[in-house]
Amino acid sequence: MARDYYEILGVSRDGSTADIKKAYRRLAMEYHPDRNGDKAAEAKFKEATEAYEVLRDTEKRAQYDRYGLAGLKAGAGGFGGFHPFDLSEALNVFMRDFGGLGGLDSLFGGQQRSRRDRRRGQDVRIILRLTLADVARGSKRTVKLRTLERCSTCNGTGSERREDLARCHTCGGSGEVRHATQSLFGNFVSVSQCPTCDGEGTVVRNPCDTCRGDGRVRGEKNVELEIPAGVSSNNYLTLRGKGGAGQRDGASGDLIAELEVEDDPDFERHGDDLVYDLPVSFSRAALGHECEVATPLEAVTVTVPPSTQAGSVITVRGKGLPSLSRGGRGDLHVRVHVWTPVRLTDEQRTLFEQLAEHEGEPPGEESLGRRFWNRMKEALGS
C-alpha cells in the first residue's frame, strides 16, 4: 500500500507550500543519488519527489486530499493519468526548483545530466481520433511509429565495442572547455561546450558500421495505448520513453497522444451529460409513451409522460458518459420534439378536424422556444 504523501515529507496536512518545499529539499539533499549511489536511497528520492510534485500544486493537492491516490490516477496531472516518477523525472524536478541554489548543480553532477539531456531522443506527437462510443467504453489502440530506434548492433553506444569509447582528450571528459583572459579588472574565465565531443565528454574511436556512431537507426515500432473512458478533446496521453531513441545511449523521448473526439450525429455532449432529440407524435405526447433510446453504452428506456409539451426535457439520471475525474456517470437529457405529419391521409384529416373541435385554447404569448431553453438550462445545471 502506498504511503501517505504528507507522511513521506514529514509535514502536517495543513502545512504551507513553504513547509512542503523546505521538507522536500531536506529529503532530496539526504537521498540524492549522487550522494548515495544505492537503490534504497534512489527509491526514497523518487518517492519524496513524487509527493512534493503533488502537494506543491494546489489543484493536485486538493484532488489528493479529497480522493487520495485514486483521484490522481483518474484525472489529475494533465490527462494521461498519474504515474510514479522515474529517476530522470525526479532529477529534473529537483534541478528545476533547486538546481540554481547554492551551487547544487555542480555539487550533484549537473554537467553529466546536462549531457544526458542533450542526447535525449525526440518526443513524438500524434493525434488519436475517437468516437463517442470510445469515450463511453474506453478504448485500446495500437499505433505504428516511424522514428529513430536504438541500434541493435552496438546496443545504442555508437561504438563497435564499449571499450572503444574514450575520454575526450580536449576537455578531459568534462564536456566543457575553459578560456582564461586577462584585463585591467583581473582574470576572467569563460566556459563553453567542448567542440571535439560536443559536450559529451567521450569520443568514439571505432564507430559502429550500422549506425555510423550515432547509436540510432531508422525503424518502426508498434505502441499500444489504453484510453480510459470519459476523455474529452484536447486531453492527452503521455507514454514515457516511447518516443524517439536518444543519441548514443541517451534517454528516449516520450510519446504524446492528443485526443480528438468526433461529433456524434445522434447526441450532443455537455461534459459528462448527453442530450438526445426525441421526435414524438401528437397522440403519444398527449397520451404518454414509452420508448428505448440507444445510447453509446446501452439501451435506455425513456418514459414520456402524458400531456408532454414540445420542448420538454426528460432527464434520466446516471445514463450519460462516465466521469473521468469524479467517478460515476453523467445524465441523459431527452428533448421532446412533437412531430407534425407532413402529408395527411383522408382518415387522418377527418380525425384531426374532429380533434380540433374539442381542443382547448393554445398557450399564452410566452415563446415555446424560450421555455425550451429555460428547461434545458435547468436540466444541465447552468
Side-chain angles (χ1 to χ4, degrees), residues 81-123:
F82 184 80
H83 63 279
F85 277 33
D86 60 30
L87 181 57
S88 63
E89 290 175 306
L91 290 170
N92 286 337
V93 169
F94 177 75
M95 296 310 299
R96 178 197 68 199
D97 290 358
F98 300 103
L101 302 177
L104 293 178
D105 192 16
S106 59
L107 174 64
F108 285 153
Q111 294 174 356
Q112 182 179 357
R113 279 191 296 279
S114 176
R115 293 197 296 270
R116 184 165 62 235
D117 288 343
R118 280 197 292 270
R119 297 199 303 269
R120 183 180 182 273
Q122 287 188 334
D123 292 339

mmCIF file of all heavy atoms in Angstrom, residues 81-123:
data_model
loop_
_atom_site.group_PDB
_atom_site.id
_atom_site.type_symbol
_atom_site.label_atom_id
_atom_site.label_comp_id
_atom_site.label_asym_id
_atom_site.label_seq_id
_atom_site.Cartn_x
_atom_site.Cartn_y
_atom_site.Cartn_z
ATOM 1 N N GLY A 81 -3.186 10.349 -17.008
ATOM 2 C CA GLY A 81 -3.101 9.598 -15.785
ATOM 3 C C GLY A 81 -1.845 9.883 -15.018
ATOM 4 O O GLY A 81 -0.813 10.208 -15.561
ATOM 5 N N PHE A 82 -1.900 9.784 -13.673
ATOM 6 C CA PHE A 82 -0.752 9.995 -12.826
ATOM 7 C C PHE A 82 0.062 8.717 -12.786
ATOM 8 O O PHE A 82 -0.469 7.621 -12.793
ATOM 9 C CB PHE A 82 -1.231 10.365 -11.417
ATOM 10 C CG PHE A 82 -0.108 10.700 -10.476
ATOM 11 C CD1 PHE A 82 0.475 11.943 -10.502
ATOM 12 C CD2 PHE A 82 0.366 9.746 -9.598
ATOM 13 C CE1 PHE A 82 1.507 12.248 -9.645
ATOM 14 C CE2 PHE A 82 1.390 10.048 -8.735
ATOM 15 C CZ PHE A 82 1.967 11.300 -8.757
ATOM 16 N N HIS A 83 1.390 8.833 -12.752
ATOM 17 C CA HIS A 83 2.249 7.664 -12.722
ATOM 18 C C HIS A 83 3.432 7.928 -11.802
ATOM 19 O O HIS A 83 3.854 9.064 -11.637
ATOM 20 C CB HIS A 83 2.760 7.339 -14.131
ATOM 21 C CG HIS A 83 3.611 8.434 -14.714
ATOM 22 N ND1 HIS A 83 3.068 9.549 -15.289
ATOM 23 C CD2 HIS A 83 4.944 8.595 -14.763
ATOM 24 C CE1 HIS A 83 4.028 10.356 -15.677
ATOM 25 N NE2 HIS A 83 5.186 9.814 -15.371
ATOM 26 N N PRO A 84 4.000 6.892 -11.160
ATOM 27 C CA PRO A 84 5.174 7.079 -10.319
ATOM 28 C C PRO A 84 6.333 7.654 -11.122
ATOM 29 O O PRO A 84 6.488 7.367 -12.308
ATOM 30 C CB PRO A 84 5.479 5.655 -9.833
ATOM 31 C CG PRO A 84 4.212 4.910 -9.986
ATOM 32 C CD PRO A 84 3.534 5.507 -11.188
ATOM 33 N N PHE A 85 7.167 8.461 -10.468
ATOM 34 C CA PHE A 85 8.284 9.105 -11.150
ATOM 35 C C PHE A 85 9.404 8.114 -11.426
ATOM 36 O O PHE A 85 9.703 7.251 -10.599
ATOM 37 C CB PHE A 85 8.830 10.231 -10.271
ATOM 38 C CG PHE A 85 8.071 11.516 -10.394
ATOM 39 C CD1 PHE A 85 6.705 11.508 -10.625
ATOM 40 C CD2 PHE A 85 8.710 12.730 -10.286
ATOM 41 C CE1 PHE A 85 6.002 12.679 -10.738
ATOM 42 C CE2 PHE A 85 8.012 13.915 -10.393
ATOM 43 C CZ PHE A 85 6.658 13.887 -10.620
ATOM 44 N N ASP A 86 10.038 8.252 -12.602
ATOM 45 C CA ASP A 86 11.286 7.537 -12.794
ATOM 46 C C ASP A 86 12.419 8.471 -12.363
ATOM 47 O O ASP A 86 12.199 9.646 -12.041
ATOM 48 C CB ASP A 86 11.457 7.047 -14.238
ATOM 49 C CG ASP A 86 11.450 8.169 -15.257
ATOM 50 O OD1 ASP A 86 11.865 9.294 -14.920
ATOM 51 O OD2 ASP A 86 11.030 7.943 -16.396
ATOM 52 N N LEU A 87 13.643 7.972 -12.361
ATOM 53 C CA LEU A 87 14.748 8.737 -11.789
ATOM 54 C C LEU A 87 15.017 10.020 -12.576
ATOM 55 O O LEU A 87 15.252 11.082 -11.971
ATOM 56 C CB LEU A 87 16.015 7.874 -11.743
ATOM 57 C CG LEU A 87 17.266 8.549 -11.143
ATOM 58 C CD1 LEU A 87 16.986 9.027 -9.738
ATOM 59 C CD2 LEU A 87 18.461 7.602 -11.176
ATOM 60 N N SER A 88 14.974 9.944 -13.898
ATOM 61 C CA SER A 88 15.271 11.139 -14.684
ATOM 62 C C SER A 88 14.256 12.247 -14.424
ATOM 63 O O SER A 88 14.613 13.427 -14.316
ATOM 64 C CB SER A 88 15.320 10.798 -16.175
ATOM 65 O OG SER A 88 14.059 10.350 -16.628
ATOM 66 N N GLU A 89 12.976 11.891 -14.283
ATOM 67 C CA GLU A 89 11.950 12.890 -13.976
ATOM 68 C C GLU A 89 12.183 13.502 -12.601
ATOM 69 O O GLU A 89 12.059 14.718 -12.411
ATOM 70 C CB GLU A 89 10.572 12.249 -14.039
ATOM 71 C CG GLU A 89 10.118 11.877 -15.428
ATOM 72 C CD GLU A 89 8.794 11.137 -15.398
ATOM 73 O OE1 GLU A 89 8.693 10.126 -14.692
ATOM 74 O OE2 GLU A 89 7.860 11.576 -16.086
ATOM 75 N N ALA A 90 12.527 12.653 -11.627
ATOM 76 C CA ALA A 90 12.777 13.145 -10.275
ATOM 77 C C ALA A 90 13.963 14.102 -10.254
ATOM 78 O O ALA A 90 13.931 15.152 -9.588
ATOM 79 C CB ALA A 90 13.012 11.973 -9.321
ATOM 80 N N LEU A 91 15.018 13.760 -10.974
ATOM 81 C CA LEU A 91 16.189 14.640 -11.035
ATOM 82 C C LEU A 91 15.844 15.961 -11.703
ATOM 83 O O LEU A 91 16.294 17.029 -11.267
ATOM 84 C CB LEU A 91 17.321 13.942 -11.793
ATOM 85 C CG LEU A 91 17.984 12.759 -11.078
ATOM 86 C CD1 LEU A 91 18.912 12.021 -12.024
ATOM 87 C CD2 LEU A 91 18.749 13.215 -9.845
ATOM 88 N N ASN A 92 15.030 15.915 -12.749
ATOM 89 C CA ASN A 92 14.633 17.147 -13.436
ATOM 90 C C ASN A 92 13.827 18.056 -12.512
ATOM 91 O O ASN A 92 13.986 19.280 -12.533
ATOM 92 C CB ASN A 92 13.817 16.814 -14.686
ATOM 93 C CG ASN A 92 14.669 16.283 -15.808
ATOM 94 O OD1 ASN A 92 15.870 16.528 -15.847
ATOM 95 N ND2 ASN A 92 14.064 15.539 -16.728
ATOM 96 N N VAL A 93 12.930 17.481 -11.707
ATOM 97 C CA VAL A 93 12.152 18.278 -10.754
ATOM 98 C C VAL A 93 13.076 18.945 -9.747
ATOM 99 O O VAL A 93 12.958 20.140 -9.443
ATOM 100 C CB VAL A 93 11.119 17.389 -10.029
ATOM 101 C CG1 VAL A 93 10.502 18.140 -8.849
ATOM 102 C CG2 VAL A 93 10.030 16.950 -10.994
ATOM 103 N N PHE A 94 14.029 18.170 -9.213
ATOM 104 C CA PHE A 94 14.941 18.715 -8.215
ATOM 105 C C PHE A 94 15.772 19.856 -8.796
ATOM 106 O O PHE A 94 15.897 20.920 -8.185
ATOM 107 C CB PHE A 94 15.856 17.601 -7.697
ATOM 108 C CG PHE A 94 16.881 18.090 -6.700
ATOM 109 C CD1 PHE A 94 16.518 18.398 -5.403
ATOM 110 C CD2 PHE A 94 18.206 18.253 -7.072
ATOM 111 C CE1 PHE A 94 17.451 18.857 -4.486
ATOM 112 C CE2 PHE A 94 19.154 18.706 -6.167
ATOM 113 C CZ PHE A 94 18.765 19.003 -4.871
ATOM 114 N N MET A 95 16.342 19.641 -9.994
ATOM 115 C CA MET A 95 17.175 20.677 -10.587
ATOM 116 C C MET A 95 16.342 21.871 -11.027
ATOM 117 O O MET A 95 16.823 23.003 -11.039
ATOM 118 C CB MET A 95 17.950 20.097 -11.774
ATOM 119 C CG MET A 95 18.936 18.998 -11.384
ATOM 120 S SD MET A 95 20.034 19.469 -10.014
ATOM 121 C CE MET A 95 20.878 20.868 -10.734
ATOM 122 N N ARG A 96 15.080 21.652 -11.387
ATOM 123 C CA ARG A 96 14.201 22.752 -11.785
ATOM 124 C C ARG A 96 13.987 23.733 -10.637
ATOM 125 O O ARG A 96 14.040 24.950 -10.821
ATOM 126 C CB ARG A 96 12.854 22.185 -12.243
ATOM 127 C CG ARG A 96 11.813 23.240 -12.653
ATOM 128 C CD ARG A 96 10.429 22.637 -12.677
ATOM 129 N NE ARG A 96 9.990 22.285 -11.332
ATOM 130 C CZ ARG A 96 8.999 21.425 -11.075
ATOM 131 N NH1 ARG A 96 8.367 20.835 -12.072
ATOM 132 N NH2 ARG A 96 8.654 21.158 -9.828
ATOM 133 N N ASP A 97 13.758 23.200 -9.448
ATOM 134 C CA ASP A 97 13.417 24.061 -8.319
ATOM 135 C C ASP A 97 14.594 24.418 -7.430
ATOM 136 O O ASP A 97 14.540 25.411 -6.708
ATOM 137 C CB ASP A 97 12.341 23.384 -7.462
ATOM 138 C CG ASP A 97 10.996 23.340 -8.162
ATOM 139 O OD1 ASP A 97 10.895 23.866 -9.283
ATOM 140 O OD2 ASP A 97 10.048 22.780 -7.593
ATOM 141 N N PHE A 98 15.667 23.611 -7.466
ATOM 142 C CA PHE A 98 16.789 23.860 -6.555
ATOM 143 C C PHE A 98 18.146 23.856 -7.246
ATOM 144 O O PHE A 98 19.169 24.070 -6.599
ATOM 145 C CB PHE A 98 16.822 22.800 -5.442
ATOM 146 C CG PHE A 98 15.574 22.779 -4.617
ATOM 147 C CD1 PHE A 98 14.621 21.789 -4.812
ATOM 148 C CD2 PHE A 98 15.320 23.745 -3.671
ATOM 149 C CE1 PHE A 98 13.464 21.756 -4.065
ATOM 150 C CE2 PHE A 98 14.162 23.730 -2.917
ATOM 151 C CZ PHE A 98 13.231 22.731 -3.104
ATOM 152 N N GLY A 99 18.177 23.618 -8.545
ATOM 153 C CA GLY A 99 19.466 23.491 -9.225
ATOM 154 C C GLY A 99 20.284 24.757 -9.220
ATOM 155 O O GLY A 99 21.509 24.712 -9.302
ATOM 156 N N GLY A 100 19.638 25.920 -9.148
ATOM 157 C CA GLY A 100 20.389 27.173 -9.173
ATOM 158 C C GLY A 100 20.737 27.693 -7.808
ATOM 159 O O GLY A 100 21.242 28.810 -7.679
ATOM 160 N N LEU A 101 20.465 26.936 -6.751
ATOM 161 C CA LEU A 101 20.689 27.429 -5.390
ATOM 162 C C LEU A 101 21.910 26.775 -4.777
ATOM 163 O O LEU A 101 22.020 25.557 -4.721
ATOM 164 C CB LEU A 101 19.467 27.135 -4.504
ATOM 165 C CG LEU A 101 18.144 27.731 -4.995
ATOM 166 C CD1 LEU A 101 17.022 27.303 -4.079
ATOM 167 C CD2 LEU A 101 18.221 29.236 -5.048
ATOM 168 N N GLY A 102 22.823 27.591 -4.300
ATOM 169 C CA GLY A 102 23.930 27.083 -3.509
ATOM 170 C C GLY A 102 24.866 26.187 -4.272
ATOM 171 O O GLY A 102 25.565 25.358 -3.696
ATOM 172 N N GLY A 103 24.939 26.330 -5.598
ATOM 173 C CA GLY A 103 25.862 25.506 -6.364
ATOM 174 C C GLY A 103 25.501 24.041 -6.404
ATOM 175 O O GLY A 103 26.349 23.186 -6.616
ATOM 176 N N LEU A 104 24.229 23.709 -6.226
ATOM 177 C CA LEU A 104 23.843 22.298 -6.200
ATOM 178 C C LEU A 104 24.029 21.633 -7.547
ATOM 179 O O LEU A 104 24.254 20.424 -7.621
ATOM 180 C CB LEU A 104 22.370 22.187 -5.763
ATOM 181 C CG LEU A 104 22.079 22.588 -4.322
ATOM 182 C CD1 LEU A 104 20.595 22.465 -4.057
ATOM 183 C CD2 LEU A 104 22.876 21.743 -3.362
ATOM 184 N N ASP A 105 23.931 22.396 -8.616
ATOM 185 C CA ASP A 105 24.073 21.797 -9.935
ATOM 186 C C ASP A 105 25.435 21.135 -10.094
ATOM 187 O O ASP A 105 25.547 19.985 -10.495
ATOM 188 C CB ASP A 105 23.884 22.886 -10.994
ATOM 189 C CG ASP A 105 23.739 22.310 -12.377
ATOM 190 O OD1 ASP A 105 23.486 21.102 -12.476
ATOM 191 O OD2 ASP A 105 23.878 23.079 -13.343
ATOM 192 N N SER A 106 26.489 21.853 -9.742
ATOM 193 C CA SER A 106 27.814 21.260 -9.866
ATOM 194 C C SER A 106 28.076 20.242 -8.776
ATOM 195 O O SER A 106 28.767 19.246 -8.986
ATOM 196 C CB SER A 106 28.874 22.367 -9.807
ATOM 197 O OG SER A 106 28.782 23.086 -8.585
ATOM 198 N N LEU A 107 27.508 20.465 -7.583
ATOM 199 C CA LEU A 107 27.713 19.526 -6.484
ATOM 200 C C LEU A 107 27.170 18.151 -6.814
ATOM 201 O O LEU A 107 27.764 17.128 -6.507
ATOM 202 C CB LEU A 107 27.016 20.058 -5.225
ATOM 203 C CG LEU A 107 27.003 19.127 -4.001
ATOM 204 C CD1 LEU A 107 28.431 18.878 -3.516
ATOM 205 C CD2 LEU A 107 26.141 19.704 -2.893
ATOM 206 N N PHE A 108 26.015 18.102 -7.501
ATOM 207 C CA PHE A 108 25.355 16.838 -7.785
ATOM 208 C C PHE A 108 25.540 16.376 -9.230
ATOM 209 O O PHE A 108 24.743 15.638 -9.767
ATOM 210 C CB PHE A 108 23.857 16.950 -7.495
ATOM 211 C CG PHE A 108 23.544 16.951 -6.034
ATOM 212 C CD1 PHE A 108 22.408 17.586 -5.573
ATOM 213 C CD2 PHE A 108 24.386 16.341 -5.118
ATOM 214 C CE1 PHE A 108 22.116 17.581 -4.222
ATOM 215 C CE2 PHE A 108 24.090 16.336 -3.776
ATOM 216 C CZ PHE A 108 22.964 16.957 -3.324
ATOM 217 N N GLY A 109 26.567 16.851 -9.895
ATOM 218 C CA GLY A 109 26.838 16.339 -11.233
ATOM 219 C C GLY A 109 25.889 16.863 -12.275
ATOM 220 O O GLY A 109 25.458 16.125 -13.145
ATOM 221 N N GLY A 110 25.560 18.156 -12.190
ATOM 222 C CA GLY A 110 24.636 18.726 -13.151
ATOM 223 C C GLY A 110 25.154 18.661 -14.565
ATOM 224 O O GLY A 110 24.404 18.553 -15.518
ATOM 225 N N GLN A 111 26.491 18.708 -14.750
ATOM 226 C CA GLN A 111 27.049 18.645 -16.096
ATOM 227 C C GLN A 111 26.722 17.308 -16.741
ATOM 228 O O GLN A 111 26.378 17.236 -17.910
ATOM 229 C CB GLN A 111 28.560 18.834 -16.032
ATOM 230 C CG GLN A 111 28.981 20.233 -15.572
ATOM 231 C CD GLN A 111 30.478 20.331 -15.390
ATOM 232 O OE1 GLN A 111 31.195 19.348 -15.539
ATOM 233 N NE2 GLN A 111 30.940 21.515 -15.069
ATOM 234 N N GLN A 112 26.806 16.238 -15.958
ATOM 235 C CA GLN A 112 26.525 14.920 -16.526
ATOM 236 C C GLN A 112 25.078 14.826 -16.975
ATOM 237 O O GLN A 112 24.781 14.332 -18.052
ATOM 238 C CB GLN A 112 26.837 13.841 -15.496
ATOM 239 C CG GLN A 112 26.617 12.429 -16.022
ATOM 240 C CD GLN A 112 26.963 11.385 -14.991
ATOM 241 O OE1 GLN A 112 27.420 11.706 -13.903
ATOM 242 N NE2 GLN A 112 26.737 10.137 -15.328
ATOM 243 N N ARG A 113 24.158 15.323 -16.155
ATOM 244 C CA ARG A 113 22.757 15.274 -16.537
ATOM 245 C C ARG A 113 22.494 16.158 -17.749
ATOM 246 O O ARG A 113 21.678 15.859 -18.588
ATOM 247 C CB ARG A 113 21.879 15.697 -15.363
ATOM 248 C CG ARG A 113 21.660 14.583 -14.377
ATOM 249 C CD ARG A 113 20.593 14.973 -13.393
ATOM 250 N NE ARG A 113 20.987 16.108 -12.580
ATOM 251 C CZ ARG A 113 21.762 16.022 -11.508
ATOM 252 N NH1 ARG A 113 22.260 14.863 -11.152
ATOM 253 N NH2 ARG A 113 22.063 17.089 -10.799
ATOM 254 N N SER A 114 23.217 17.297 -17.828
ATOM 255 C CA SER A 114 23.042 18.170 -18.974
ATOM 256 C C SER A 114 23.444 17.459 -20.255
ATOM 257 O O SER A 114 22.784 17.574 -21.274
ATOM 258 C CB SER A 114 23.874 19.441 -18.776
ATOM 259 O OG SER A 114 23.787 20.266 -19.905
ATOM 260 N N ARG A 115 24.538 16.701 -20.193
ATOM 261 C CA ARG A 115 24.958 15.959 -21.370
ATOM 262 C C ARG A 115 23.920 14.894 -21.728
ATOM 263 O O ARG A 115 23.622 14.663 -22.893
ATOM 264 C CB ARG A 115 26.329 15.302 -21.123
ATOM 265 C CG ARG A 115 27.456 16.308 -20.972
ATOM 266 C CD ARG A 115 28.783 15.619 -21.163
ATOM 267 N NE ARG A 115 29.053 14.624 -20.138
ATOM 268 C CZ ARG A 115 29.675 14.872 -18.999
ATOM 269 N NH1 ARG A 115 30.054 16.124 -18.729
ATOM 270 N NH2 ARG A 115 29.916 13.926 -18.127
ATOM 271 N N ARG A 116 23.351 14.242 -20.718
ATOM 272 C CA ARG A 116 22.339 13.231 -20.971
ATOM 273 C C ARG A 116 21.092 13.857 -21.596
ATOM 274 O O ARG A 116 20.471 13.286 -22.487
ATOM 275 C CB ARG A 116 21.978 12.521 -19.666
ATOM 276 C CG ARG A 116 20.984 11.381 -19.852
ATOM 277 C CD ARG A 116 20.945 10.489 -18.635
ATOM 278 N NE ARG A 116 20.508 11.186 -17.455
ATOM 279 C CZ ARG A 116 21.207 11.242 -16.316
ATOM 280 N NH1 ARG A 116 22.371 10.646 -16.229
ATOM 281 N NH2 ARG A 116 20.760 11.897 -15.263
ATOM 282 N N ASP A 117 20.735 15.072 -21.122
ATOM 283 C CA ASP A 117 19.582 15.762 -21.691
ATOM 284 C C ASP A 117 19.819 16.108 -23.156
ATOM 285 O O ASP A 117 18.907 16.043 -23.972
ATOM 286 C CB ASP A 117 19.292 17.036 -20.900
ATOM 287 C CG ASP A 117 18.713 16.738 -19.521
ATOM 288 O OD1 ASP A 117 18.251 15.599 -19.332
ATOM 289 O OD2 ASP A 117 18.752 17.621 -18.657
ATOM 290 N N ARG A 118 21.066 16.483 -23.497
ATOM 291 C CA ARG A 118 21.348 16.818 -24.892
ATOM 292 C C ARG A 118 21.212 15.604 -25.796
ATOM 293 O O ARG A 118 20.913 15.721 -26.976
ATOM 294 C CB ARG A 118 22.755 17.417 -25.007
ATOM 295 C CG ARG A 118 22.854 18.883 -24.625
ATOM 296 C CD ARG A 118 24.137 19.472 -25.152
ATOM 297 N NE ARG A 118 25.306 18.928 -24.499
ATOM 298 C CZ ARG A 118 25.867 19.435 -23.402
ATOM 299 N NH1 ARG A 118 25.326 20.503 -22.841
ATOM 300 N NH2 ARG A 118 26.937 18.895 -22.874
ATOM 301 N N ARG A 119 21.469 14.410 -25.263
ATOM 302 C CA ARG A 119 21.376 13.200 -26.071
ATOM 303 C C ARG A 119 19.977 12.598 -26.050
ATOM 304 O O ARG A 119 19.734 11.581 -26.696
ATOM 305 C CB ARG A 119 22.385 12.153 -25.558
ATOM 306 C CG ARG A 119 23.836 12.571 -25.680
ATOM 307 C CD ARG A 119 24.762 11.366 -25.610
ATOM 308 N NE ARG A 119 24.587 10.586 -24.404
ATOM 309 C CZ ARG A 119 25.257 10.785 -23.281
ATOM 310 N NH1 ARG A 119 26.146 11.767 -23.204
ATOM 311 N NH2 ARG A 119 25.051 10.029 -22.217
ATOM 312 N N ARG A 120 19.058 13.207 -25.317
ATOM 313 C CA ARG A 120 17.710 12.656 -25.203
ATOM 314 C C ARG A 120 17.018 12.643 -26.557
ATOM 315 O O ARG A 120 17.155 13.561 -27.360
ATOM 316 C CB ARG A 120 16.905 13.482 -24.204
ATOM 317 C CG ARG A 120 15.489 12.964 -23.950
ATOM 318 C CD ARG A 120 14.783 13.860 -22.941
ATOM 319 N NE ARG A 120 13.455 13.371 -22.627
ATOM 320 C CZ ARG A 120 12.366 13.675 -23.312
ATOM 321 N NH1 ARG A 120 12.455 14.478 -24.358
ATOM 322 N NH2 ARG A 120 11.191 13.200 -22.951
ATOM 323 N N GLY A 121 16.259 11.578 -26.812
ATOM 324 C CA GLY A 121 15.538 11.455 -28.070
ATOM 325 C C GLY A 121 14.372 12.420 -28.175
ATOM 326 O O GLY A 121 13.933 13.016 -27.180
ATOM 327 N N GLN A 122 13.867 12.570 -29.375
ATOM 328 C CA GLN A 122 12.765 13.492 -29.619
ATOM 329 C C GLN A 122 11.446 12.927 -29.104
ATOM 330 O O GLN A 122 11.213 11.716 -29.155
ATOM 331 C CB GLN A 122 12.630 13.782 -31.110
ATOM 332 C CG GLN A 122 13.700 14.679 -31.674
ATOM 333 C CD GLN A 122 13.399 15.085 -33.103
ATOM 334 O OE1 GLN A 122 12.711 14.377 -33.826
ATOM 335 N NE2 GLN A 122 13.905 16.232 -33.528
ATOM 336 N N ASP A 123 10.598 13.817 -28.610
ATOM 337 C CA ASP A 123 9.223 13.429 -28.303
ATOM 338 C C ASP A 123 8.457 13.250 -29.608
ATOM 339 O O ASP A 123 8.703 13.958 -30.592
ATOM 340 C CB ASP A 123 8.526 14.505 -27.464
ATOM 341 C CG ASP A 123 9.111 14.618 -26.063
ATOM 342 O OD1 ASP A 123 9.743 13.651 -25.602
ATOM 343 O OD2 ASP A 123 8.935 15.684 -25.437
#
